[in-house]
Tab-separated table of all heavy atoms in Angstrom:
chain	number	residue	atom	x	y	z
A	35	TYR	N	79.781	126.718	141.922
A	35	TYR	CA	80.600	127.186	140.812
A	35	TYR	C	80.856	126.020	139.863
A	35	TYR	O	80.956	124.870	140.272
A	35	TYR	CB	81.957	127.705	141.309
A	35	TYR	CG	81.933	129.070	141.934
A	35	TYR	CD1	81.657	129.232	143.293
A	35	TYR	CD2	82.209	130.202	141.176
A	35	TYR	CE1	81.652	130.495	143.872
A	35	TYR	CE2	82.208	131.468	141.747
A	35	TYR	CZ	81.928	131.609	143.090
A	35	TYR	OH	81.925	132.861	143.652
A	37	GLN	N	83.509	124.685	136.758
A	37	GLN	CA	84.791	124.896	136.099
A	37	GLN	C	84.905	123.923	134.934
A	37	GLN	O	85.070	122.717	135.135
A	37	GLN	CB	85.968	124.710	137.063
A	37	GLN	CG	87.302	125.033	136.418
A	37	GLN	CD	88.481	124.884	137.352
A	37	GLN	OE1	88.439	124.130	138.327
A	37	GLN	NE2	89.550	125.607	137.076
A	40	GLY	N	90.186	123.786	131.425
A	40	GLY	CA	90.992	124.902	130.950
A	40	GLY	C	90.393	126.270	131.178
A	40	GLY	O	90.902	127.262	130.663
A	41	ALA	N	89.336	126.334	131.962
A	41	ALA	CA	88.661	127.622	132.169
A	41	ALA	C	88.641	127.981	133.646
A	41	ALA	O	89.044	127.208	134.505
A	41	ALA	CB	87.233	127.561	131.621
A	42	GLY	N	88.163	129.177	133.921
A	42	GLY	CA	88.027	129.627	135.298
A	42	GLY	C	86.739	129.133	135.919
A	42	GLY	O	86.008	128.342	135.337
A	43	LEU	N	86.463	129.624	137.113
A	43	LEU	CA	85.255	129.221	137.811
A	43	LEU	C	84.112	130.157	137.434
A	43	LEU	O	84.239	131.371	137.511
A	43	LEU	CB	85.462	129.255	139.329
A	43	LEU	CG	86.103	128.018	139.922
A	43	LEU	CD1	87.578	127.974	139.629
A	43	LEU	CD2	85.866	127.960	141.428
A	45	LEU	N	80.324	131.313	138.298
A	45	LEU	CA	79.281	131.270	139.316
A	45	LEU	C	77.980	130.809	138.680
A	45	LEU	O	77.458	131.447	137.781
A	45	LEU	CB	79.101	132.648	139.950
A	45	LEU	CG	78.011	132.771	141.006
A	45	LEU	CD1	78.315	131.895	142.208
A	45	LEU	CD2	77.847	134.225	141.434
A	86	ILE	N	83.879	120.375	136.449
A	86	ILE	CA	84.019	120.189	137.892
A	86	ILE	C	83.115	121.209	138.572
A	86	ILE	O	83.110	122.389	138.185
A	86	ILE	CB	85.479	120.396	138.344
A	86	ILE	CG1	86.382	119.372	137.666
A	86	ILE	CG2	85.588	120.257	139.865
A	86	ILE	CD1	87.856	119.573	137.964
A	88	PHE	N	82.073	123.058	142.103
A	88	PHE	CA	82.522	123.364	143.455
A	88	PHE	C	81.387	124.001	144.244
A	88	PHE	O	80.725	124.917	143.751
A	88	PHE	CB	83.681	124.368	143.427
A	88	PHE	CG	84.960	123.848	142.847
A	88	PHE	CD1	85.251	123.999	141.494
A	88	PHE	CD2	85.900	123.213	143.646
A	88	PHE	CE1	86.428	123.532	140.956
A	88	PHE	CE2	87.090	122.743	143.119
A	88	PHE	CZ	87.360	122.895	141.773
A	94	TYR	N	82.324	134.123	157.131
A	94	TYR	CA	82.303	135.512	157.568
A	94	TYR	C	83.417	135.818	158.545
A	94	TYR	O	83.991	136.894	158.543
A	94	TYR	CB	80.947	135.854	158.190
A	94	TYR	CG	79.857	136.031	157.166
A	94	TYR	CD1	78.984	134.987	156.866
A	94	TYR	CD2	79.704	137.223	156.482
A	94	TYR	CE1	77.996	135.140	155.918
A	94	TYR	CE2	78.707	137.385	155.528
A	94	TYR	CZ	77.855	136.333	155.260
A	94	TYR	OH	76.875	136.477	154.315
A	97	ASN	N	86.462	136.279	156.463
A	97	ASN	CA	86.314	137.107	155.250
A	97	ASN	C	86.769	136.384	153.997
A	97	ASN	O	87.548	136.922	153.204
A	97	ASN	CB	87.116	138.416	155.399
A	97	ASN	CG	86.506	139.332	156.426
A	97	ASN	OD1	85.289	139.440	156.519
A	97	ASN	ND2	87.332	139.982	157.209
A	98	ARG	N	86.289	135.165	153.800
A	98	ARG	CA	86.699	134.426	152.611
A	98	ARG	C	85.629	133.426	152.246
A	98	ARG	O	84.674	133.202	152.977
A	98	ARG	CB	88.001	133.676	152.866
A	98	ARG	CG	87.854	132.536	153.848
A	98	ARG	CD	89.199	132.011	154.276
A	98	ARG	NE	89.948	133.034	154.975
A	98	ARG	CZ	91.240	132.961	155.241
A	98	ARG	NH1	91.920	131.909	154.861
A	98	ARG	NH2	91.865	133.913	155.879
A	99	LEU	N	85.803	132.815	151.071
A	99	LEU	CA	84.984	131.674	150.680
A	99	LEU	C	85.720	130.397	151.059
A	99	LEU	O	86.924	130.292	150.829
A	99	LEU	CB	84.763	131.656	149.164
A	99	LEU	CG	83.737	132.595	148.549
A	99	LEU	CD1	83.622	132.297	147.050
A	99	LEU	CD2	82.395	132.453	149.211
B	37	GLN	N	95.291	126.996	142.437
B	37	GLN	CA	94.632	125.694	142.258
B	37	GLN	C	95.682	124.664	141.906
B	37	GLN	O	96.377	124.783	140.891
B	37	GLN	CB	93.567	125.752	141.160
B	37	GLN	CG	92.745	124.452	141.059
B	37	GLN	CD	91.635	124.528	140.022
B	37	GLN	OE1	91.833	125.029	138.919
B	37	GLN	NE2	90.458	124.036	140.369
B	41	LYS	N	93.070	120.051	141.750
B	41	LYS	CA	91.958	121.005	141.593
B	41	LYS	C	91.549	121.655	142.901
B	41	LYS	O	90.507	122.301	142.955
B	41	LYS	CB	90.729	120.355	140.937
B	41	LYS	CG	91.034	119.689	139.613
B	41	LYS	CD	91.535	120.698	138.593
B	41	LYS	CE	91.780	120.049	137.247
B	41	LYS	NZ	92.387	121.009	136.281
B	43	LEU	N	91.337	124.439	145.557
B	43	LEU	CA	91.486	125.895	145.508
B	43	LEU	C	91.889	126.434	146.861
B	43	LEU	O	91.232	126.160	147.863
B	43	LEU	CB	90.158	126.537	145.132
B	43	LEU	CG	89.859	126.681	143.657
B	43	LEU	CD1	88.401	126.936	143.459
B	43	LEU	CD2	90.677	127.791	143.038
B	45	ILE	N	92.921	130.059	148.884
B	45	ILE	CA	93.055	131.511	148.861
B	45	ILE	C	94.477	131.890	149.226
B	45	ILE	O	95.110	131.276	150.107
B	45	ILE	CB	92.052	132.175	149.843
B	45	ILE	CG1	92.149	133.695	149.782
B	45	ILE	CG2	92.234	131.703	151.263
B	45	ILE	CD1	91.453	134.317	148.634
B	56	ILE	N	93.479	139.652	153.458
B	56	ILE	CA	93.854	138.270	153.739
B	56	ILE	C	95.252	138.040	153.197
B	56	ILE	O	95.548	138.375	152.060
B	56	ILE	CB	92.888	137.267	153.082
B	56	ILE	CG1	91.503	137.389	153.687
B	56	ILE	CG2	93.408	135.834	153.220
B	56	ILE	CD1	90.467	136.561	152.958
B	58	GLU	N	97.328	134.654	153.417
B	58	GLU	CA	97.445	133.299	153.932
B	58	GLU	C	98.910	132.917	154.081
B	58	GLU	O	99.809	133.696	153.765
B	58	GLU	CB	96.754	132.324	152.980
B	58	GLU	CG	95.255	132.307	153.141
B	58	GLU	CD	94.824	131.827	154.507
B	58	GLU	OE1	94.956	130.631	154.795
B	58	GLU	OE2	94.343	132.659	155.298
B	90	PHE	N	94.329	131.833	139.949
B	90	PHE	CA	93.092	132.524	139.578
B	90	PHE	C	92.978	133.833	140.320
B	90	PHE	O	93.180	133.904	141.534
B	90	PHE	CB	91.865	131.668	139.924
B	90	PHE	CG	91.660	130.513	139.006
B	90	PHE	CD1	91.998	129.236	139.396
B	90	PHE	CD2	91.113	130.699	137.741
B	90	PHE	CE1	91.809	128.158	138.540
B	90	PHE	CE2	90.922	129.632	136.890
B	90	PHE	CZ	91.281	128.361	137.293
B	98	HIS	N	81.801	139.898	151.247
B	98	HIS	CA	80.777	138.893	151.491
B	98	HIS	C	79.842	138.673	150.306
B	98	HIS	O	78.827	138.022	150.443
B	98	HIS	CB	79.961	139.287	152.736
B	98	HIS	CG	80.805	139.462	153.949
B	98	HIS	ND1	80.571	140.446	154.878
B	98	HIS	CD2	81.902	138.806	154.369
B	98	HIS	CE1	81.493	140.370	155.829
B	98	HIS	NE2	82.302	139.387	155.541
B	100	PRO	N	79.157	137.450	146.107
B	100	PRO	CA	79.683	136.409	145.197
B	100	PRO	C	80.938	136.868	144.471
B	100	PRO	O	81.061	138.024	144.084
B	100	PRO	CB	78.530	136.217	144.210
B	100	PRO	CG	77.313	136.624	144.949
B	100	PRO	CD	77.729	137.739	145.862
B	101	GLN	N	81.845	135.932	144.294
B	101	GLN	CA	83.099	136.242	143.631
B	101	GLN	C	83.047	135.821	142.163
B	101	GLN	O	82.496	134.783	141.816
B	101	GLN	CB	84.255	135.507	144.330
B	101	GLN	CG	84.484	136.019	145.743
B	101	GLN	CD	85.615	135.310	146.447
B	101	GLN	OE1	86.472	134.699	145.814
B	101	GLN	NE2	85.630	135.394	147.762
B	103	PHE	N	85.406	135.035	138.792
B	103	PHE	CA	86.770	134.582	138.553
B	103	PHE	C	87.242	134.888	137.138
B	103	PHE	O	86.449	134.899	136.181
B	103	PHE	CB	86.849	133.061	138.767
B	103	PHE	CG	86.876	132.660	140.211
B	103	PHE	CD1	85.732	132.724	140.989
B	103	PHE	CD2	88.053	132.233	140.800
B	103	PHE	CE1	85.756	132.369	142.327
B	103	PHE	CE2	88.088	131.868	142.139
B	103	PHE	CZ	86.946	131.935	142.904
B	104	GLY	N	88.554	135.095	137.019
B	104	GLY	CA	89.190	135.137	135.720
B	104	GLY	C	89.399	133.722	135.200
B	104	GLY	O	89.061	132.738	135.867
B	105	ASP	N	89.978	133.610	134.008
B	105	ASP	CA	90.162	132.303	133.371
B	105	ASP	C	91.410	131.565	133.846
B	105	ASP	O	91.641	130.431	133.440
B	105	ASP	CB	90.225	132.457	131.851
B	105	ASP	CG	88.855	132.746	131.261
B	105	ASP	OD1	87.842	132.423	131.921
B	105	ASP	OD2	88.791	133.297	130.144
B	108	ARG	N	98.127	129.565	133.837
B	108	ARG	CA	98.750	128.255	134.040
B	108	ARG	C	100.255	128.434	134.076
B	108	ARG	O	100.867	128.703	133.053
B	108	ARG	CB	98.317	127.307	132.922
B	108	ARG	CG	96.912	126.798	133.131
B	108	ARG	CD	96.085	126.808	131.855
B	108	ARG	NE	94.675	126.617	132.183
B	108	ARG	CZ	93.846	127.624	132.458
B	108	ARG	NH1	94.256	128.877	132.418
B	108	ARG	NH2	92.586	127.371	132.760
Side-chain angles (χ1 to χ4, degrees):
Chain A
Y35 283 87
Q37 185 179 25
L43 276 75
L45 178 63
I86 299 175
F88 292 92
Y94 285 97
N97 291 321
R98 69 192 63 194
L99 282 185
Chain B
Q37 187 177 43
K41 305 298 183 185
L43 273 163
I45 182 79
I56 295 172
E58 281 297 289
F90 286 103
H98 303 142
Q101 294 180 20
F103 283 74
D105 286 338
R108 283 136 194 89

